[in-house]
Amino acid sequence: MADTCGQVLLGSGLTVLSHPLMYIKVLVQVGHEPLSPTLGRNMFGRQVYQLPGLFAYAKHIIKIDGKSGLFKGLTPRLCAGTIGTIVHSRVLQKCQDEKIEMVASSQKAEDGSLQHVVNETTKEMIARSCATIITHPFHVITLRCMVQFIGREAKYSGVFDSIVTIYREEGILGFFAGLIPRLLGDVLSLWICNMLAHFINTYAIDDSTSHTGEIKNCSQAVTGFFASMLTYPFVLVSNLMAVNNCGLAGGLPPYAALYPNWLHCWSHLSREGNMSRGNSLFFRKLPAGKTYAVEQKRFF
């Protein structure tokens, strides 16, 4: 219990600190570009037209809504983080107590073996999936509170009011908009990360060398970053589906087409070359073949 409380407090602190970053990333994912491209230099020193980065975008939000404007949607996100941590901890502990194994064997897999990695990853997948499903309604509310910035709406003003609004207009399914691509992305990212880390630690790192533990931790971090890059399109599609056709300007034309399901959204983004939109908030280059519309503050 003490460990869970510590995780909740640490997670809440990190959530508060990272919230402005997520806020800006979501607005970019939706396609909102309130500032015109400017002439700057890329990471190689060449002069190119660039889109505003993280800090320029943050200054724009502060200019309109003040510093507190960077924290729209923070309350439901904190709720999601707290509940998710508790659910994840309980489910993972349940899996450990029951010693769930993926193969019929009376012997416990050795630490570091492939079977051990598969078993532990499966338990983590179950725990994460349960936490994601239970907290997804708060994730949807968080995203919609953020996207209101585009049309200056106040439709989603609080957690309880937002719950009533979503249930009244969309029913139970409205709370789970974008859930499937989010789950798929989480599961794929977890397996890619753990499997790559296992093979690197087993076949590429010599256990006889010094600082083996630090090297293996570094490889886990690197593979985690690589997995998140590969599965980013799932995150993008999930977030867009969570706000699609919800009555907000950011989820309606011209900012977004009306998608019947997440596969149509994926297909449309792929055709437009926007599968990585919002992936980077620094050195943002202009989208190829697009024209910036000043009045609508987006690219076409």
Side-chain angles (χ1 to χ4, degrees), residues 23 76 97 132 136 159 162 168 179 186 216 263 276 298:
Y23 184 22
D97 292 342
T132 297
H136 193 74
V159 175
S162 298
R168 184 178 63 245
L179 174 62
D186 285 348
K216 288 185 176 181
L263 292 174
S276 62
R298 60 169 286 112

Side-chain angles (χ1 to χ4, degrees), residues 2-290:
D3 291 341
T4 303
C5 290
Q7 291 175 5
V8 169
L9 290 175
L10 177 61
S12 298
L14 293 175
T15 295
V16 173
L17 292 175
S18 65
H19 193 76
L21 177 65
M22 178 186 174
Y23 184 22
I24 294 170
K25 180 181 284 287
V26 169
L27 293 179
V28 173
Q29 287 176 338
V30 174
H32 186 56
E33 298 291 350
L35 303 175
S36 302
T38 57
L39 186 63
R41 294 186 181 275
N42 62 14
M43 58 188 305
F44 300 106
R46 295 177 55 189
Q47 277 196 337
V48 294
Y49 278 98
Q50 296 177 332
L51 295 173
L54 172 66
F55 300 110
Y57 214 125
K59 288 180 180 179
H60 174 74
I61 294 175
I62 293 173
K63 182 179 179 181
I64 295 176
D65 290 335
K67 292 181 180 179
S68 62
L70 292 172
F71 296 92
K72 284 185 177 179
L74 177 60
T75 301
R77 191 179 175 209
L78 285 173
C79 291
T82 300
I83 297 172
T85 300
I86 295 172
V87 172
H88 178 274
S89 177
R90 295 288 180 84
V91 174
L92 191 60
Q93 185 61 49
K94 185 72 172 176
C95 291
Q96 297 290 357
D97 292 342
E98 295 182 358
K99 297 181 179 180
I100 295 177
E101 300 291 347
M102 291 304 295
V103 294
S105 174
S106 59
Q107 295 182 346
K108 185 178 179 181
E110 294 182 4
D111 289 349
S113 67
L114 178 60
Q115 186 59 55
H116 176 76
V117 173
V118 170
N119 291 340
E120 294 303 310
T121 303
T122 301
K123 296 171 187 177
E124 178 66 20
M125 178 187 69
I126 294 171
R128 284 194 190 184
S129 297
C130 290
T132 297
I133 292 170
I134 291 176
T135 61
H136 193 74
F138 294 101
H139 181 67
V140 170
I141 294 172
T142 297
L143 295 175
R144 294 185 181 186
C145 287
M146 293 174 171
V147 171
Q148 288 183 137
F149 176 82
I150 297 173
R152 310 305 298 161
E153 299 106 335
K155 184 176 181 179
Y156 299 93
S157 56
V159 175
F160 295 108
D161 289 342
S162 298
I163 290 173
V164 173
T165 299
I166 293 175
Y167 182 75
R168 184 178 63 245
E169 296 184 357
E170 303 171 59
I172 294 294
L173 292 180
F175 294 108
F176 299 97
L179 174 62
I180 294 178
R182 187 183 179 201
L183 273 178
L184 289 174
D186 285 348
V187 170
L188 286 174
S189 178
L190 176 64
W191 280 98
I192 292 172
C193 173
N194 287 359
M195 288 296 101
L196 278 179
H198 169 71
F199 288 119
I200 291 173
N201 293 340
T202 302
Y203 301 108
I205 298 177
D206 187 357
D207 290 336
S208 64
T209 60
S210 59
H211 306 295
T212 301
E214 291 83 349
I215 295 174
K216 288 185 176 181
N217 290 335
C218 182
S219 71
Q220 187 78 30
V222 171
T223 55
F225 176 77
F226 178 71
S228 67
M229 294 290 290
L230 284 180
T231 58
Y232 177 78
F234 289 96
V235 177
L236 175 61
V237 171
S238 174
N239 288 351
L240 292 182
M241 290 304 299
V243 301
N244 191 248
N245 198 22
C246 66
L248 299 177
L252 296 169
Y255 281 96
L258 301 181
Y259 306 116
N261 57 58
W262 72 273
L263 292 174
H264 284 79
C265 179
W266 184 293
S267 177
H268 180 261
L269 291 174
S270 181
R271 288 196 308 270
E272 295 288 323
N274 288 327
M275 294 302 289
S276 62
R277 188 171 65 193
N279 193 21
S280 174
L281 296 179
F282 299 97
F283 301 109
R284 300 176 57 219
K285 63 181 181 179
L286 296 180
K290 302 288 185 179

